[in-house]
Amino acid sequence: MTRILRRFFAFPLLLALAGCGGSGGGGESASEEPPSPLLYEITDAQGGVEGWILGTIHALPDDTQWRNPAIDRVVREADILLVEVPGLDNRAAIAATFAELATTPDLGPLPPRVDPALHSDLREMIALSEATPERFNDTETWAAAILLAQVGAVGEPDNGVDRALIREFDGRPVRGFETPGEQLGIFDQLAEEDQRDLLEGTVREWTGSRDNPGWLTQAWLRGDLAVIEAATSEGIMADPELRAALLVDRNRRWMPVLLENLRAGAKPLVAVGTAHIVGPDGLPAMLEAEGYTVRRVE
């Protein structure tokens, strides 16, 4: 169960990047292009640099090369790090929170909770998971979706960009927009209908990505804005209720924290799932509405 939970906690960021999804593929980029994850510079009305935003992915294959000189420079120059959730290595606390929220006795088997057309694929995912079918009888639907989303994923949360940056900022302040309980609570508070939409979307996207599980990681490494923006409006993220709860509402809650840190004078590096920084609901767009200039650092 520890391994499942370790993989599980990467899911909100993978979900936030593209609506679900595997971070499979090999360690090196499929092309010879240097890595170029989305990195933005925040400046004030006078052109002074106030901070930076880096779109992250929360699980990567071993030996993936994702750093470049621009990222290295920003990591050196930033005064503080703002991430979705700090303390990712406190696995005992995360496991306890998950166990408290994710379990309700006698909910029954998973297949009846989804469209009958998905029963076969769902049973296959359960068979490939690290839990028995009976284990899901007491698992709430949102939690089952999160656990099953890791089926077939190659990337490891220990290689996630947020974890790497937290380690590198040892000695400098690391602050979070959410606690583990708050992040898990977002899922736990979803209506059952939305939880079932989440589970169905997880099954559909697993079946659709089996032939190319690493496509999202490669798009992230390239900083392919068009592909990423499309991915964040498809699949699970095409559902209005899920998109609001898992992405848009969170960005709105984060903005006062981000603005407070920007106005305090220390230059932050904001490192959050890439879906949070693209499109009209992304943090850069929200900052521009507050009078900041946000430009991509190539």
Side-chain angles (χ1 to χ4, degrees):
M1 192 61 181
T2 301
R3 187 179 174 196
I4 292 177
L5 290 173
R6 181 165 60 88
R7 286 183 171 275
F8 147 72
F9 205 69
F11 184 79
L13 45 296
L14 290 172
L15 180 63
L17 175 57
C20 98
S23 54
E28 298 293 337
S29 173
S31 72
E32 296 301 320
E33 300 175 14
S36 186
L38 294 179
L39 174 66
Y40 293 92
E41 182 181 78
I42 307 166
T43 58
D44 59 20
Q46 290 72 44
V49 176
E50 297 288 313
W52 303 269
I53 302 177
L54 174 65
T56 68
I57 192 167
H58 306 286
L60 285 168
D62 292 342
D63 302 320
T64 299
Q65 303 301 314
W66 59 270
R67 299 282 288 257
N68 60 39
I71 294 175
D72 290 340
R73 174 182 61 81
V74 167
V75 170
R76 290 193 305 269
E77 295 180 3
D79 298 309
I80 62 175
L81 178 67
L82 293 176
V83 294
E84 292 179 41
V85 177
L88 292 177
D89 289 328
N90 191 351
R91 293 168 184 168
I94 293 170
T97 302
F98 179 80
E100 179 180 355
L101 295 176
T103 304
T104 298
D106 302 321
L107 290 173
L110 276 186
R113 305 186 213 175
V114 301
D115 187 325
L118 299 176
H119 285 184
S120 177
D121 289 329
L122 177 57
R123 290 192 180 96
E124 185 177 353
M125 292 183 76
I126 292 171
L128 293 170
S129 75
E130 298 175 19
T132 64
E134 293 74 23
R135 175 68 179 81
F136 289 99
N137 289 353
D138 297 333
T139 302
E140 295 187 12
T141 308
W142 66 268
I146 287 173
L147 294 172
L148 290 174
Q150 299 309 307
V151 171
V154 178
E156 285 289 341
D158 284 346
N159 300 330
V161 173
D162 45 356
R163 289 178 183 270
L165 292 173
I166 289 170
R167 291 191 294 266
E168 190 153 350
F169 270 71
D170 185 32
R172 285 178 285 175
V174 176
R175 301 168 186 166
F177 290 110
E178 298 166 338
T179 66
E182 289 170 341
Q183 192 170 87
L184 291 171
I186 294 168
F187 292 87
D188 188 51
Q189 292 163 18
L190 290 172
E192 177 62 22
E193 180 181 357
D194 294 327
Q195 293 186 37
R196 294 186 179 203
D197 288 342
L198 179 65
L199 180 58
E200 288 185 351
T202 300
V203 176
R204 289 191 176 100
E205 295 197 21
W206 174 72
T207 59
S209 64
R210 279 182 292 186
D211 292 338
N212 186 15
W215 70 273
L216 183 55
T217 298
Q218 298 304 326
W220 176 81
L221 284 168
R222 296 192 306 270
D224 193 327
L225 188 58
V227 171
I228 292 169
E229 285 184 332
T232 58
S233 61
E234 298 171 349
I236 292 170
M237 283 303 170
D239 182 292
E241 289 79 13
L242 291 176
R243 181 177 179 83
L246 302 179
L247 183 64
V248 180
D249 292 348
R250 293 171 71 200
N251 284 357
R252 290 172 178 162
R253 288 195 299 269
W254 294 355
M255 273 300 293
V257 178
L258 175 52
L259 291 172
E260 179 182 358
N261 278 275
L262 287 170
R263 293 164 180 166
K267 296 178 181 178
L269 169 57
V270 181
V272 294
T274 301
H276 290 284
I277 71 169
V278 299
D281 300 314
L283 294 178
M286 292 183 179
L287 283 173
E288 289 177 338
E290 295 288 335
Y292 290 93
T293 297
V294 184
R295 70 170 187 88
R296 183 172 179 182
V297 180
E298 298 290 352

